[in-house]
Amino acid sequence: MLVLAIETSCDETAAAVVADGRRILSSIVSSQIAIHAEYGGVVPEIASRKHLEMISPVISQALEAVKVTLADIEGIAVTRGPGLSGALLVGFSTAKAIASARKIPFVGIHHIEGHIFACFLEKPVEFPFLALVVSGGHTHIYLVEGFGRYRTMGRTVDDAAGEAFDKSAKIMGLEYPGGVRIDAMAREGNPAAVRLPRPLMNDGTLNFSFSGLKTAMLQHLSKHPVAIPGPEANDLCASFQEAVCDVLVHKTSLALAQTGVKRLVVAGGVACNSGLRQRMASMAAKLGIELHIPKPALCGDNAAMLAVAGNFYLENDKASDSALDVTATWNMDHI
Amino acid sequence: MSRFSLTSSSPLDTERLGKRLGALLEPGAMLALRGELGGGKTCFTRGVVEGAAPASANMVASPTFAIMNEYPGLPPVYHFDFYRLTSEDEIAELGFEDYFHGNGICIVEWPERLGQLLPADHLSVTFENAAANQRTITLESFGFSSEAVLKQLEDMEA
């Protein structure tokens, strides 16, 4: 099935054409295209107006890149939530309008469900598996038993891991994008140089907390200011990244042990972090776990990832009703 | 305008204060949280939701990335963080004022970004780092309804 996928849940306006929920024929993300440059490329497209400006050019580019037209599209997968209603509505209404005009089915997808299946575009994973989703807004562990069958096992009780990276970078005075800078500087530093807390490490739950780590960074820097660039800044970045990775790896391995599941997917923007990828790989090797982390282009927000679950639902008679609306909050356990 | 300060000696302390305040809030209430990173704003918010919409307390997390988290309840609590927004125009475009005068309780982090959009009647809560784990929390009322809430809280704390 040839599926057009549309994503407008938060910062990115994105569209993709995907065949059979497996092969990406095109994938366009607004921040990567020229029209975005006039905004400096860092302004979040949270405002509906910006999504509105971008949605048509982004869909046209996705279609033109594979030389198809809307007449060739057999179904549409679109983000239905969670997110800001105004932003979601732009993509969702567009999807409904195209579906109605072309008389093809559409299906609303959970944004996180999209991230979890992004790696299927490289290689499908057998069910059940565990998914660690780490991004600017999420740090969650899910048990995935099939399409639409998810159980939340752990989550952040305050900041997401990506937010901890961005805010710590800001506290240090690093330039945007902060998470990428920390990753690069951490490679040159000593991860044992600065003692930082591992919040909730031994609380017995699968939950995360990164707010205290940010506070510890503030307190450390107020006593020991660092020059940037410099070896001390590199050491601090390495120590910070090590603290985040320690907690993520520990809780994930705990979840694997508790469930006895042998397959793990790591997804979301923070899955680009080279330190986390290495640490997860060595944990998986040690425990005999089959690990799947998508390539960096599929970790951040994109539309192609929606087409995996979308294709499944569309082919299994689970298309959405035309009366369906967006939802700002949407629990993954009740899809 | 009334004003009242106290010292919190732990995150749990901060959360408990939030809970006592949350139980006093009526639909339409607006809390403006101020203070540096790591001051305890998320802890305090979890407490407010425990007090106002208890079934949703375990949903509280930082809304920095999402801009707004919604916690269902009677009344619902809308938790905003305008950290990533830079101008009043951007916020106006998102249509958030509709929530400010609606049926829920609004909690706003980075309220200074709201400029003129911040409702005149609101309760300002400022978090300052004192010693390592200590925070000075100052509550100030602006307007008639927030004044009444602050008086009640002050009586409870006395």
Side-chain angles (χ1 to χ4, degrees):
Chain A
M1 186 177 217
L2 200 62
V3 170
L4 171 67
I6 301 171
E7 149 75 30
T8 61
S9 69
C10 200
D11 288 12
E12 301 283 9
T13 315
V17 177
V18 178
D20 306 320
R22 284 295 313 277
R23 276 181 305 123
I24 304 176
L25 303 183
S26 67
S27 179
I28 308 290
V29 178
S30 61
S31 60
Q32 296 164 346
I33 68 177
I35 192 167
H36 199 78
E38 61 185 288
Y39 299 114
V42 295
V43 177
E45 293 201 65
I46 38 196
S48 335
R49 185 179 58 80
K50 291 198 179 128
H51 281 298
L52 266 176
E53 284 168 11
M54 299 302 295
I55 189 88
S56 280
V58 165
I59 291 176
S60 301
Q61 283 207 21
L63 295 170
E64 281 161 21
V66 269
K67 304 207 166 24
V68 297
T69 69
L70 284 178
D72 302 305
I73 299 296
E74 296 167 283
I76 302 178
V78 60
T79 308
R80 183 187 164 217
L84 296 171
S85 301
L88 289 164
L89 267 172
V90 175
F92 203 71
S93 310
T94 305
K96 272 165 85 166
I98 296 173
S100 158
R102 300 297 323 162
K103 297 188 172 53
I104 53 176
F106 82 99
V107 61
I109 303 289
H110 193 296
H111 179 74
I112 296 304
E113 187 176 23
H115 277 297
I116 287 175
F117 292 113
C119 62
F120 279 52
L121 294 163
E122 295 174 328
K123 186 173 185 255
V125 183
E126 207 182 307
F127 297 114
F129 60 84
L130 279 189
L132 171 71
V133 181
V134 268
S135 66
H138 283 82
T139 303
H140 284 60
I141 298 175
Y142 300 99
L143 173 64
V144 182
E145 295 177 300
F147 286 109
R149 293 166 58 205
Y150 317 111
R151 187 149 63 86
T152 305
M153 304 203 57
R155 57 182 282 274
T156 178
V157 298
D158 42 53
D159 299 0
E163 182 179 347
F165 269 97
D166 285 343
K167 287 196 171 162
S168 294
K170 184 134 185 164
I171 291 167
M172 287 183 69
L174 301 178
E175 291 153 23
Y176 182 92
V180 177
R181 288 273 288 158
I182 288 185
D183 191 6
M185 289 166 68
R187 269 176 238 150
E188 313 295 321
N190 170 12
V194 182
R195 280 184 61 170
L196 292 168
R198 268 70 172 155
L200 299 191
M201 189 78 156
N202 298 307
D203 72 332
T205 74
L206 297 175
N207 288 339
F208 302 95
S209 166
F210 292 109
S211 179
L213 187 53
K214 174 182 72 190
T215 311
M217 288 287 282
L218 260 175
Q219 286 169 350
H220 176 83
L221 281 165
S222 69
K223 285 182 218 139
H224 313 279
V226 295
I228 296 165
E232 282 178 341
N234 293 344
D235 284 350
L236 185 58
C237 287
S239 303
F240 167 81
Q241 187 161 301
E242 184 82 350
V244 175
C245 290
D246 273 355
V247 183
L248 292 174
V249 167
H250 175 69
K251 295 277 174 151
T252 305
S253 59
L254 215 57
L256 288 164
Q258 280 181 16
T259 54
V261 168
K262 293 289 180 200
R263 287 169 291 273
L264 172 67
V265 166
V266 181
V270 180
C272 291
N273 181 276
S274 66
L276 181 63
R277 294 174 86 98
Q278 275 169 22
R279 291 287 308 274
M280 285 291 172
S282 51
M283 182 263 278
K286 202 171 115 199
L287 300 179
I289 299 294
E290 180 187 318
L291 175 68
H292 300 262
I293 310 180
K295 63 182 179 191
L298 286 172
C299 289
D301 286 351
N302 66 87
M305 65 185 193
L306 304 169
V308 180
N311 194 86
F312 173 85
Y313 294 135
L314 291 168
E315 285 188 349
N316 287 277
D317 208 20
K318 289 181 177 164
S320 298
D321 186 87
S322 62
L324 193 72
D325 206 349
V326 299
T327 175
T329 50
W330 193 4
N331 188 329
M332 280 278 283
D333 296 20
H334 308 294
I335 280 189
Chain B
M1 188 190 89
S2 303
R3 183 192 171 101
F4 147 62
S5 277
L6 45 80
T7 304
S8 162
S9 48
S10 71
L12 192 62
D13 233 14
T14 301
E15 190 173 320
R16 284 179 181 147
L17 173 69
K19 185 173 178 180
R20 291 193 293 273
L21 174 63
L24 300 174
L25 297 175
E26 299 282 341
M30 160 68 77
L31 301 181
L33 310 190
R34 303 170 196 275
E36 46 207 304
L37 294 176
K41 297 189 286 279
T42 307
C43 278
F44 182 80
T45 300
R46 183 171 308 113
V48 172
V49 176
E50 272 172 54
S56 293
N58 66 353
M59 290 174 66
V60 176
S62 165
T64 300
F65 186 78
I67 314 290
M68 180 188 77
N69 289 344
E70 189 180 326
Y71 310 124
L74 292 170
V77 179
Y78 304 109
H79 183 195
F80 300 90
D81 185 339
F82 294 126
Y83 178 81
R84 299 203 300 141
L85 303 183
T86 48
S87 75
E88 221 175 293
D89 287 356
E90 272 185 313
I91 295 167
E93 246 176 44
L94 289 166
F96 282 140
E97 313 99 286
D98 297 352
Y99 289 96
F100 297 167
H101 307 283
N103 61 350
I105 292 167
C106 291
I107 303 176
V108 175
E109 300 191 30
W110 294 85
E112 44 275 50
R113 303 273 157 90
L114 279 173
Q116 296 297 314
L117 298 175
L118 182 67
D121 194 332
H122 68 270
L123 197 60
S124 166
V125 188
T126 307
F127 299 81
E128 284 162 294
N129 294 340
N133 272 318
Q134 294 207 333
R135 305 282 186 271
T136 304
I137 303 176
T138 305
L139 298 107
E140 289 168 283
S141 64
F142 296 86
F144 184 74
S145 334
S146 53
E147 175 91 28
V149 170
L150 192 58
K151 278 275 177 312
Q152 276 178 278
L153 185 71
E154 214 171 339
D155 290 346
M156 284 168 68
E157 302 295 313

